[in-house]
Structures are given as C-alpha cells and as structure tokens.
Amino acid sequence: MAFVPRQDPVESEQTVPERPGSLDPQELGFTPKGPIGWLAPLLLLSTGLRALLAILFGAYLDKRELQNSLDDDFFDHSSTADGELWLDYVADLGDGFDATYSVAYLLAQPELAVDGERLPRGRLLLMGGDQVYPLASGDGYENRMKGPYRAALPEAPAGEPRPTLFALPGNHDWYDGLTAFLRLFARRKDGHIGGWRTEQRRSYFAVKLPANWWLFAVDEQFGAYIDDPQLLYFERAAEEVGPDDRVILMTPSPTWVKAADKPEEYDAVDYFIRTILAPTRAHVRVLVSGDLHHYARYTGDDRELITCGGGGAYTLGTQNLPGELTVPPKETLTRSKSRSRTYGLEKSFPDPALSRRWGRGVFHRLPRRNKGFATMLGIIQTLTMLAMAGAAASREDGSILKLFTIPLVLMLLVVMAATTLFAQPPPAPSPKRVRHWVLGVLHGFAQIALAAGGTFVWLRLDFRDWPWPWPLVVAAAVYGPLIAVLSTQLTALYLLIAARFGVNVNELFAGQGIEDGKSFLRMHIDAGGTLTIHPIGLEKVCHEWLPDPQGSPQSPWLRPGTPLTPHRIEPPVRVAGPRGPRP
C-alpha cells in the first residue's frame, strides 16, 4: 500500500463537448428527471424486493471482499501551496433534477458569498452516499447524478488544480451489489465526472489532509460487518497516522442517531474507532453522514456528530430528533464498547417548527405527488365496498353466515395486513415496538370504517339495482375516484398523527417529496490546523433553468432563472487541530 499524491492529469487530449443550447436531452447528453414518487405502488414493490434481496443475499452480492484485488492505495492531499485546504461534503443527491442541480450548481461555483463571507470551492468534493435513487443502474447514475454534475462543472477550472471527487456508497448505491457504483467511481485510471477527477479504486478510502488531518470513509451497509479486506486497508493507512492527529470519519448512515432506537446500529462504527483508530492515539473529532435528508449537529466534549443529507432528495423533518444522545448507547450488548458520552443537539435544518409546518402539508402534497398510490387506495376501497355490499345483500336473503363471504374476508385481511406492514413494526422486540402495531391496526380499522361508510351510501343509491355490468362501471368511474381522495386524505391524517409518535416519519415526508430545504458542508483546514465547518442551507431550489451556450468551457451549461440564495444554517463550527506539526 502506498500514498497516491495528487497529480493533475493532462487535459489536452480531451475533446471539449459543444455546449447545449436548450434543455433537450439530445443536447444535454442525459435526461433530467423529476422527483421520485416514493409511494408509487410499483416503486414500493420493486424497492422493497431489492431491499429484501440485499438483506437475504447481501453476503453473496457483497463486492467488498472482491475489492481486495483492486489497488489499495490511499491518497495524499496534504501538500498545498499555502498549507490550507477547502473541501465540500454533500449526500443524498440523486433524486429530482431541480433539487440535485441546484446544489450541484452551488458546489461548482468558484466561490460562494454567504452572509458577507466568500467561501472558495472545495478542492475535494466528498459524496456521502445515495448518489442515485431509487435503484442503482447505469442509466440512473447518468440521468440523476453524473449528468447534472457534469452540467454544473463541465470542464476543470482553468489555471487551478483540478478538484477531486470521492464517493461513499449509500444503501441505494448498494442495491445492485455496488456494480454500477464501482464502474462509475472506481474503475478508471483517468476517471472524471465533468470537471471533477475521480481517484478512488474501492468503495472506501483514506485521504491524508493538511496540518495532520485525515479523512477515513468506511463502507458499512445494512448493518453488515466491516469486511476483512476493508479493515486491512484501513490498518495499513492507520500506520501513517500519528498521535494527536485529527480524523474526520465518514459513514453511510448516522448510526449515532439511529442507535437511540436500535442500540446495535452504532456497534460497527464503534468497533472501527476502537480497533483501527484508537491504537494510533489520533483523535476522531468529526463524524459526518447523510442518509437522513436534513442537517443536524450534535456536539460533545470530544467530537461533532453531523448529519447532512440535503443534496437533492426529499427533505426529512427534524421534529422527532432527540435533544440528547448517549453514544455508544448504554443498552448495546457489545461488552468492550467505548466509554459512553453525551451529545446535545445544537442545530437542525429545517428546524422543528418548519418541519411541523411542512408535515401538515401532507394533505395536499400526498395525492399530488403520488397519483398511483391514490389510485391503488381507490381500487382497494372499491373492491372492499363491493364485497361488503355483496355480504349485505346475502344478509337480506336470510343467511347470516354469508356475511363472512370469502371475498369480504380476503379484502379485510388485505387491508389490515397492508396497514400494519406500512407501520413497519420492528422485527425484534423493543420498548417502542407496540406503538407500531397499535397505530398500524388503528389505521387498518379506520380504512375499513371508511369502506363501511362508503357501503352504507352505496346501498342507498339506485346504481346497485341497475343491470349488470352498469353497477361495476359506476363503481369504477364514480365511486372509485371519490373514495380514492377520501382514503388518501385518511392516510395523510394517519401519517401526521403517527409521526408524532415516531412512526412513519420518513413516509410522512417521502410521500410529500419536498424539494426545498437543501444543505451541504463547506469545510476549511487552515495552516494552523483548525478545521472550520460552514453548514450551508438553501431555502428554495430553482425550477427554471436557462441554457448558456456562449459560456466558458468550465461554466455551468444551465443557469438558474431565479436566484439561488445560500445561507448559513448556523455560525461556523470550529474544531481545533493538532497541537503542532509532527516531525
């Protein structure tokens, strides 16, 4: 294993593409995609099956073991002209074009003016996971990540060192076993995405930074163990880490937050810190992750715990975040865990008040963003009503046992099973498991009560007595659309109530597909070793883009029709560096 010093490749052999003059995919070279409707029935089914396959057969699809045959270099970006380095962090970016490109456009600018201070573009761009949604594929990466970022920075900046891009896979990058991820980010010696060069050869990496800072990015997914080739890679990199060096640790998921409900979630990260980094006597000062689509910073005496997943995916509210975390959690079964410490929530974006206000928008956003979901509810409700109406007709014939006809029982079971599974009861016993079951069952009874009310109205209309098949036609053309609206609103009410108890919080916001409220980090290591973290927020994304066919080769292909106004989420977070340079 060896250091790979930063070297700017020769660009003279590259052909500069003609700048597009419109938003035509034929000119852009990719197809801008709209936001994903996360509650679309087919998407729910396919994503659920992929996730299930990844969990059941993850050991067979896991390509981390095979990466042992790839180059095991780690990377040296510690030498700069002034001894300083700017680096950017973004995660959860591969969703709809407007939100993803809004953030990419800001990241690609030579500098950002934020609250009166000018912040230069990062020499390193760190992507923290979920570079594509909903499933990893070549076309998905091209249209939802690579295309927008190439359009934001088409060519390397003239007269400047070429910026470098490193990417850590998230769970959505993993759904094909990392095949498409490795092909895009780690397989080519001269790889690049627009003006950013790619260097990594594996799905994990270690980077030496100026002033005795280090970046370690660990690929740990689906609660899996950290594989032996990865541990060996980091053990070799850690041999270069000295006492009192400082470490930024990138992880695919903010396990310090998730461990509040599932204590075992943090075990792998804690194991990595104890076995790889602790023996070096270096200090892990910052843990950073995406996966949850918002910004949140917890702080303690020893380190900052930062979630920043605002790169383009739907925004997730912060109203349910705990005000205080114990990390590692005392409930973990790991016997040799690190000493537990307390971390307090310092800042979140969007803040809890705005999150609650956005949550209440579920009543109008849910049906608008998920027409297929509303259609599915309408079909289920219509079939349940027809089964109830048939049972009621049987009762009029004098046979009370016919109330429990097979179609009615089947539809009732479908409704109860669907609503209970939608509440996602934890597979293992936990103190909070009961509320998932209770809320899921109550939601099921509410949907059945709605079907019963619809049946009561249907039986008092003349449609039921019309010759066959006209009752079915009316049910499909009139009753179905009306009950679909009511059932969707009932689901929205359920989501709003359940979120107050920490159930289906993700679905409350995923179903709305809120594109505003984006965030990323711009970080600076100065010559004295102090790391300054600038959390950048974007209240509103742009939805109108103007081609710029006459721009310079490195300027964005598309410019915002309405100004993008980044702001500080909170004052800069300063983390002290090493005491002094090591000999």
Side-chain angles (χ1 to χ4, degrees):
M1 180 185 245
F3 275 118
V4 175
R6 184 192 59 78
Q7 296 178 349
D8 293 323
V10 177
E11 303 292 337
S12 59
E13 297 181 359
Q14 290 190 11
T15 301
V16 178
E18 182 179 349
R19 295 176 63 83
S22 71
L23 297 180
D24 187 342
Q26 292 294 328
E27 294 193 50
L28 291 173
F30 69 95
T31 303
K33 297 289 187 178
I36 294 169
W38 284 100
L39 297 186
L42 291 179
L43 179 59
L44 285 174
L45 179 62
S46 62
T47 304
L49 288 176
R50 292 291 187 103
L52 180 62
L53 290 174
I55 293 171
L56 295 178
F57 304 105
Y60 304 100
L61 299 175
D62 194 343
K63 290 185 172 58
R64 293 179 305 173
E65 299 279 1
L66 301 179
Q67 292 180 57
N68 196 36
S69 61
L70 303 177
D71 294 346
D72 62 352
D73 300 321
F74 47 95
F75 307 94
D76 188 355
H77 286 263
S78 62
S79 297
T80 61
D82 54 6
E84 302 185 2
L85 181 70
W86 287 86
L87 55 158
D88 295 328
Y89 177 90
V90 65
D92 303 284
L93 51 134
D95 201 325
F97 175 79
D98 289 339
T100 296
Y101 187 72
S102 293
V103 175
Y105 180 87
L106 294 176
L107 289 169
Q109 295 300 295
E111 61 180 13
L112 294 178
V114 181
D115 297 342
E117 185 176 356
R118 308 197 77 82
L119 308 178
R121 175 178 51 221
R123 286 271 298 276
L124 299 184
L125 174 58
L126 309 172
M127 292 185 171
D130 288 347
Q131 281 72 238
V132 65
Y133 291 103
L135 304 170
S137 67
D139 288 342
Y141 279 113
E142 186 69 37
N143 294 322
R144 294 189 180 274
M145 178 268 156
K146 183 180 178 181
Y149 272 77
R150 183 176 65 240
L153 187 66
E155 295 295 323
E160 301 177 21
R162 184 168 192 168
T164 303
L165 186 155
F166 291 95
L168 184 69
N171 61 304
H172 288 268
D173 301 291
W174 256 75
Y175 285 150
D176 71 337
L178 295 180
T179 299
F181 176 91
L182 292 174
R183 185 179 298 123
L184 177 61
F185 294 105
R187 294 290 295 276
R188 296 169 295 165
K189 292 287 186 182
D190 60 343
H192 62 93
I193 295 174
W196 286 281
R197 177 193 41 184
T198 57
E199 282 188 339
Q200 70 194 80
R201 299 292 170 260
R202 302 187 180 199
S203 62
Y204 45 87
F205 47 89
V207 184
K208 184 178 182 181
L209 305 173
N212 297 334
W213 277 90
W214 285 82
L215 171 72
F216 280 60
V218 183
D219 180 9
E220 181 268 326
Q221 282 295 340
F222 299 116
Y225 66 95
I226 302 177
D227 55 291
D228 285 344
Q230 184 172 184
L231 289 174
L232 182 60
Y233 171 90
F234 285 116
E235 284 175 357
R236 291 174 178 170
E239 292 174 359
E240 303 294 328
V241 180
D244 296 324
D245 282 4
R246 299 301 192 258
V247 177
I248 303 170
L249 181 60
M250 281 175 59
T251 64
S253 176
T255 55
W256 49 91
V257 176
K258 296 184 177 184
D261 289 328
K262 300 178 181 179
E264 69 277 6
E265 289 281 342
Y266 188 74
D267 289 349
V269 174
D270 187 52
Y271 175 82
F272 183 85
I273 294 174
R274 285 187 289 108
T275 59
I276 303 298
L277 297 177
T280 69
R281 292 188 292 160
H283 300 271
V284 181
R285 297 305 310 275
V286 179
L287 268 64
V288 62
S289 175
D291 191 52
L292 299 181
H293 305 164
H294 54 229
Y295 172 84
R297 179 175 67 91
Y298 288 84
T299 187
D301 295 333
D302 60 331
R303 62 183 58 133
E304 305 293 331
L305 310 178
I306 299 175
T307 306
C308 188
Y314 64 87
T315 300
L316 178 65
T318 61
Q319 72 272 30
N320 290 83
L321 288 176
E324 189 174 87
L325 296 175
T326 300
V327 183
K330 296 179 180 179
E331 296 82 2
T332 180
L333 299 179
T334 301
R335 298 183 63 184
S336 54
K337 68 179 179 68
S338 304
R339 180 166 64 89
S340 296
R341 293 178 170 86
T342 300
Y343 300 85
L345 178 61
E346 288 294 315
K347 187 65 177 180
S348 63
F349 175 74
D351 62 28
L354 179 57
S355 299
R356 284 189 287 269
R357 187 163 72 248
W358 278 350
R360 291 191 292 271
V362 66
F363 294 102
H364 68 87
R365 292 195 191 98
L366 181 65
R368 183 159 49 89
R369 297 279 191 182
N370 303 274
K371 295 181 175 62
F373 182 72
T375 301
M376 179 186 69
L377 292 181
I379 292 172
I380 293 174
Q381 280 284 345
T382 300
L383 293 177
T384 305
M385 181 275 293
L386 292 175
M388 287 183 173
S394 297
R395 184 181 180 183
E396 292 176 0
D397 293 339
S399 177
I400 193 67
L401 294 179
K402 290 185 179 180
L403 281 172
F404 301 97
T405 57
I406 292 178
L408 177 58
V409 172
L410 178 62
M411 292 309 303
L412 295 179
L413 289 176
V414 166
V415 171
M416 292 304 299
T419 55
T420 304
L421 292 175
F422 187 68
Q424 301 172 2
S430 70
K432 300 177 181 179
R433 186 184 187 187
V434 173
R435 64 189 182 191
H436 289 264
W437 285 100
V438 170
L439 287 167
V441 169
L442 289 177
H443 182 206
F445 281 133
Q447 293 287 355
I448 291 173
L450 177 63
T455 304
F456 178 82
V457 174
W458 176 264
L459 292 176
R460 277 149 184 78
L461 299 175
D462 295 335
F463 302 135
R464 58 174 296 204
D465 297 324
W466 288 5
W468 181 262
W470 290 110
L472 185 60
V473 172
V474 173
V478 179
Y479 181 88
L482 290 176
I483 202 66
V485 172
L486 295 176
S487 183
T488 304
Q489 293 301 301
L490 180 59
T491 302
L493 178 63
Y494 159 77
L495 288 172
L496 193 61
I497 295 173
R500 292 182 175 272
F501 297 91
V503 176
N504 287 128
V505 178
N506 185 63
E507 286 69 28
L508 172 64
F509 288 92
Q512 299 186 63
I514 299 171
E515 297 181 272
D516 296 324
K518 302 280 86 77
S519 57
F520 61 92
L521 305 178
R522 181 148 287 180
M523 298 181 278
H524 177 226
I525 300 174
D526 65 25
T530 298
L531 170 68
T532 303
I533 303 172
H534 302 271
I536 309 298
L538 182 64
E539 292 279 0
K540 297 287 186 180
V541 305
C542 179
H543 297 281
E544 180 183 358
W545 300 98
L546 306 176
D548 185 17
Q550 305 304 320
S552 62
Q554 64 269 16
S555 64
W557 287 347
L558 307 173
R559 296 190 176 278
T562 55
L564 294 172
T565 309
H567 70 278
R568 291 191 195 278
I569 295 174
E570 62 174 327
V573 180
R574 291 182 171 84
V575 182
R579 295 187 180 93
R582 286 193 291 117

